[in-house]
Amino acid sequence: MCLFGFSRLPSERTGKITAKAAVIFVTLQYNVTIPATEEQSAETISLYHYGIKDLATIFFYMLVAIIIHAIIQEYVLDKINRKMHFSKTKHSKFNESGQLSAFYLFSCVWGTSILVSENYISDPTSLWRDYPHTLIPFQMKFFYILQLAYWFHAFPELYFQKTKKEDIFRQIIYIGLYLFHIAGAYLLNLTHLGLVLLVLHYFVEFLFHISRLFYFSDERYQKGFSLWAVLFVLGRLLTLILSVLTFGFGLARAEDQQLNFSTGNFNILAVRISVLASICMAQAFMMWKFINFQLRRWREHSSSQPQSVKKKFVTAKGKNSRKERENGINGTVTSNGADSPRSRKDKSS
């Protein structure tokens, strides 16, 4: 009995260690329980802050994102590709838009539900009021963890999807911009503003990718791109307005403007200018890409028009050539051989 009992101790300890390690990867860490008060609420509230253990959680959900990506690709997108018979270029763009439209839709719906439940839409001052926002609810932290996990999973997907070498650099910049801004909002305790800007940006991007999916199925479909173009410009303007209000008006008038790592307060002039400049540069970069996209579409549309006109001219010219053979050139009667009335008269005489 004694020997048997001692033989079970290592396995029990190993099981406990494995369970503790698994909890770090699966569940959210750094939980803070706020006791109930008569003034605020009758129930205890669980809030969260960030820490180094979040890297393990992000890694786990990055693997989950890779699995979900493969499921959507195999059971949805590949089946549609077999039916539509796309070219290689359209095939890769269709897969990209299919994956991103699903992610953007999911993030928009989830982010909007958080905004509504936390009353961020009805009260815009909540974007900067009570800063630093070190303690956030479960849904908010889980949202940011999944956002970081998804964009980190995009790096190995470049290998799995066999991305072309000329497109890898563009994709790395695209992914890096998302990670830089999402991680910046998470680490600088600007989660309220970051959530609003992400939902706004994701909605516009979802409209673009869903329009591109419809365009691949029917190239005559152009209305979605027109609506996206209007909302894209409005989205950039609204992003700049909210950013300037938060950093130039709200946080600039806060009482506590001293850098304090222990309390998570980064509300100093240098940080405000750096973050605002980063947001403005990102908006300028996207507007530059947007203008180039619209110019390319305009060139393609203008180049397709002369070809159609040329085809009409060739068909009309073909009809005229037939009449010329029958009645002469430019409506005049020819005097060649037996077609001439005068020669027929001379023969009869």
Side-chain angles (χ1 to χ4, degrees):
M1 293 291 291
C2 184
L3 292 174
F4 181 74
F6 279 118
S7 64
R8 290 180 60 187
L9 288 177
S11 62
E12 290 177 357
R13 290 176 182 175
T14 304
K16 291 180 180 179
I17 294 172
T18 306
K20 289 181 180 179
V23 166
I24 295 175
F25 283 91
V26 177
T27 61
L28 300 183
Q29 302 298 309
Y30 306 105
N31 181 17
V32 177
T33 302
I34 299 176
T37 59
E38 295 181 357
E39 296 178 356
Q40 294 182 353
S41 63
E43 299 179 356
T44 58
I45 301 174
S46 296
L47 299 177
Y48 295 82
H49 60 90
Y50 65 81
I52 192 66
K53 293 181 181 178
D54 289 341
L55 294 176
T57 312
I58 292 171
F59 176 76
F60 173 77
Y61 285 103
M62 181 189 74
L63 300 179
V64 175
I66 292 175
I67 296 172
I68 295 175
H69 187 113
I71 292 173
I72 295 174
Q73 183 66 44
E74 183 175 355
Y75 293 99
V76 179
L77 297 178
D78 286 346
K79 290 184 178 180
I80 298 175
N81 283 322
R82 295 190 196 100
K83 292 180 180 180
M84 301 301 295
H85 303 288
F86 291 129
S87 61
K88 290 184 178 180
T89 304
K90 285 187 176 182
H91 184 273
S92 61
K93 290 182 178 180
F94 182 84
N95 290 337
E96 179 186 6
S97 294
Q99 296 284 351
L100 288 175
S101 59
F103 170 71
Y104 289 144
L105 178 62
F106 171 76
S107 299
C108 279
V109 174
W110 189 14
T112 304
S113 66
I114 298 174
L115 292 176
V116 173
S117 62
E118 298 296 330
N119 296 322
Y120 294 156
I121 297 177
S122 59
D123 186 12
T125 60
S126 61
L127 298 179
W128 59 81
R129 192 179 65 245
D130 299 331
Y131 179 84
H133 305 136
T134 53
L135 297 177
I136 55 178
F138 173 83
Q139 287 194 56
M140 179 84 77
K141 179 167 183 175
F142 197 32
F143 179 85
Y144 273 94
I145 291 293
L146 290 186
Q147 294 299 312
L148 293 171
Y150 180 86
W151 291 112
F152 271 118
H153 110 281
F155 286 116
E157 285 296 337
L158 295 177
Y159 172 77
F160 296 145
Q161 296 295 325
K162 298 179 181 179
T163 307
K164 296 180 180 179
K165 292 182 178 180
E166 56 270 19
D167 295 335
I168 291 178
F169 182 71
R170 177 182 65 86
Q171 292 288 344
I172 290 175
I173 293 178
Y174 182 76
I175 298 166
L177 284 174
Y178 274 105
L179 286 173
F180 176 75
H181 288 90
I182 295 172
Y186 186 64
L187 297 175
L188 296 177
N189 295 314
L190 295 167
T191 50
H192 295 188
L193 176 65
L195 179 62
V196 174
L197 297 185
L198 272 178
V199 171
L200 178 63
H201 176 73
Y202 282 171
F203 176 74
V204 178
E205 289 297 300
F206 166 74
L207 185 60
F208 169 75
H209 286 285
I210 201 69
S211 299
R212 192 158 74 164
L213 290 176
F214 282 114
Y215 174 76
F216 287 148
S217 61
D218 186 3
E219 294 187 355
R220 293 174 296 179
Y221 182 83
Q222 298 285 342
K223 295 181 180 179
F225 289 114
S226 301
L227 179 60
W228 164 76
V230 176
L231 293 179
F232 182 89
V233 177
L234 294 177
R236 306 284 72 79
L237 291 175
L238 190 56
T239 299
L240 292 175
I241 290 172
L242 291 175
S243 301
V244 171
L245 281 176
T246 302
F247 295 105
F249 175 77
L251 295 178
R253 295 187 177 185
E255 296 180 358
D256 189 5
Q257 296 192 19
Q258 294 181 355
L259 183 63
N260 192 337
F261 292 99
S262 60
T263 60
N265 187 10
F266 300 94
N267 186 18
I268 59 175
L269 181 61
V271 174
R272 291 199 304 268
I273 292 176
S274 299
V275 175
L276 186 60
S278 174
I279 294 174
C280 291
M281 289 176 63
Q283 304 310 305
F285 175 75
M286 286 187 286
M287 279 300 300
W288 178 67
K289 298 285 288 183
F290 171 77
I291 292 171
N292 287 334
F293 175 77
Q294 294 297 329
L295 288 175
R296 186 170 65 251
R297 284 189 63 205
W298 179 76
R299 291 194 196 100
E300 292 174 356
H301 181 70
S302 60
S303 62
S304 63
Q305 281 185 343
Q307 291 179 359
S308 61
V309 173
K310 187 176 180 180
K311 288 180 180 178
K312 292 181 180 179
F313 177 75
V314 169
T315 54
K317 188 176 180 180
K319 293 179 181 179
N320 290 334
S321 61
R322 292 176 185 174
K323 293 180 179 179
E324 289 168 2
R325 294 192 202 102
E326 296 174 358
N327 300 328
I329 300 174
N330 295 331
T332 59
V333 179
T334 57
S335 58
N336 293 329
D339 291 336
S340 174
R342 186 174 180 180
S343 62
R344 288 198 296 267
K345 186 176 181 182
D346 292 340
K347 289 179 182 179
S348 60
S349 61

